[in-house]
């Protein structure tokens, strides 16, 4: 018999695994049966949603519907790669944080943050999106200006959470991944933040540069070293496979 995740039902299949804790949830006559648990398959989000997830976790996402297209930040020089050099005037205000669906697209020079996550081109019909897994995707999640800004804002909210570092680790995990961290995960993230803290104490200029990224600026008097340290932790969380996948 086969039991699917979140147990919608049971169907006949080859016996493969003994009944364990599932027996308590099933009817008594299954006590001597054997079941196969179907593994949960995770699928990476579509390109437009990867950016939206980071913005939503940070509180920056503007959910407004409709309106003209927007021009979020992208790397310098991208617009010179086509046959015609075009202007890309970065949107300001709330337009900077609109959903990826509203990003303006030039066919010859699509936004790299969409292209690298397999957004379809504008030259041919797309009947099914591919989903690749490349190192460039991790680099975008770590270094793209909008993702750095999202991580900085996520870190800022974490620092506003009452309590100690352990409470902040739990809050930032719940915000980014919608679950509590395991004991091991909490230790790893706390260790990462502590290492970043030591680094930025010795490099205060780097801390000031990191927290200045983006349209929102930290309030006067903000401890740049502490904010930069937690930004490092937030960048790691937003880079996780779990953050940008769905079941």
């Amino acid at each position: 018999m086969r039991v699917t995740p979140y147990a919608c039902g049971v169907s006949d299949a080859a016996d493969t695994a003994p009944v364990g804790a599932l027996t308590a949830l099933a009817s008594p006559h299954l006590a001597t049966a054997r079941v196969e648990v179907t593994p949960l398959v995770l699928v990476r989000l579509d390109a437009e949603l990867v950016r939206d997830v980071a913005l939503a976790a940070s509180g920056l996402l503007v959910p407004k519907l409709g309106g003209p297209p927007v021009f979020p930040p992208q790397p310098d020089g991208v617009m010179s790669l086509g046959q015609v050099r075009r202007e890309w005037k970065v949107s300001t205000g709330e337009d900077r944080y609109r959903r990826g669906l509203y990003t303006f697209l030039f066919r010859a020079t699509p936004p790299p943050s969409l292209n690298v996550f397999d957004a379809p081109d504008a030259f041919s019909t797309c009947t099914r999106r591919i989903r690749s897994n490349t190192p460039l995707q991790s680099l975008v999640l770590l270094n793209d200006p909008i993702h750095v800004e999202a991580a900085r804002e996520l870190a800022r909210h974490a620092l506003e959470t009452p309590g100690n570092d352990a409470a902040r680790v739990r809050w930032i995990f719940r915000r980014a991944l919608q679950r509590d961290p395991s004991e091991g995960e909490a230790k790893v993230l706390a260790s990462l933040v502590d290492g970043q803290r030591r680094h930025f104490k010795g490099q205060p200029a780097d801390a000031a540069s990191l927290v200045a990224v983006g349209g929102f600026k930290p309030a006067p008097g903000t401890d740049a070293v502490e904010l930069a340290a937690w930004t490092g932790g937030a960048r790691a969380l937003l880079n996780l496979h779990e953050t940008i996948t769905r079941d």
Side-chain angles (χ1 to χ4, degrees):
M1 292 184 170
R2 181 187 303 273
V3 176
T4 57
Y6 310 115
C8 291
V10 179
S11 61
D12 292 334
D15 296 340
T16 57
V19 173
L22 290 174
T23 304
L25 302 177
S27 56
H29 75 274
L30 290 179
T32 58
R34 298 173 71 84
V35 298
E36 174 189 355
V37 178
T38 304
L40 187 64
V41 177
L42 297 178
V43 179
R44 203 203 64 224
L45 297 172
D46 288 336
E48 296 86 351
L49 297 180
V50 170
R51 176 176 174 274
D52 292 357
V53 163
L55 290 176
S58 68
L60 288 174
L61 182 68
V62 175
K64 183 176 73 174
L65 299 178
V70 297
F71 300 81
Q74 64 177 0
D76 294 335
V78 169
M79 302 312 298
S80 64
L81 298 178
Q83 292 182 334
V84 179
R85 185 182 182 91
R86 303 181 184 276
E87 181 183 15
W88 185 274
K89 187 176 181 180
V90 176
S91 298
T92 58
E94 67 175 18
D95 283 350
R96 183 185 179 94
Y97 309 108
R98 296 288 305 279
R99 293 173 56 198
L101 175 69
Y102 297 106
T103 300
F104 192 90
L105 178 69
F106 288 106
R107 284 188 297 176
T109 51
S113 60
L114 296 181
N115 210 27
V116 76
F117 285 103
D118 310 308
D121 62 44
F123 292 100
S124 57
T125 301
C126 175
T127 59
R128 182 177 64 88
R129 293 195 180 194
I130 63 171
R131 284 183 170 86
S132 63
N133 187 6
T134 73
L136 282 177
Q137 293 168 354
S138 288
L139 290 175
V140 168
L141 295 176
L142 279 174
N143 300 313
D144 184 79
I146 206 70
H147 283 86
V148 174
E149 185 175 3
R152 199 269 320 284
E153 283 299 292
L154 182 58
R156 182 177 66 82
H157 289 307
L159 287 173
E160 294 173 350
T161 303
N164 55 15
D165 279 3
R168 294 182 180 119
V169 164
R170 182 174 180 273
W171 182 91
I172 203 170
F173 240 91
R174 289 183 62 85
R175 182 72 182 183
L177 301 177
Q178 303 298 300
R179 66 174 177 84
D180 288 328
S182 68
E183 182 179 351
E185 290 170 333
K187 287 181 179 179
V188 168
L189 184 57
S191 176
L192 172 61
V193 171
D194 192 51
Q196 292 282 288
R197 187 181 288 130
R198 291 195 302 271
H199 167 76
F200 285 118
K201 280 183 178 179
Q203 304 289 337
D206 289 350
S209 177
L210 177 60
V211 302
V213 171
F216 281 96
K217 304 301 180 186
T222 299
D223 186 341
V225 169
E226 195 67 13
L227 181 55
W230 280 94
T231 298
R235 290 170 81 185
L237 279 181
L238 295 180
N239 199 302
L240 290 177
H241 181 72
E242 182 179 350
T243 307
I244 60 169
T245 54
R246 61 174 176 80
D247 56 33

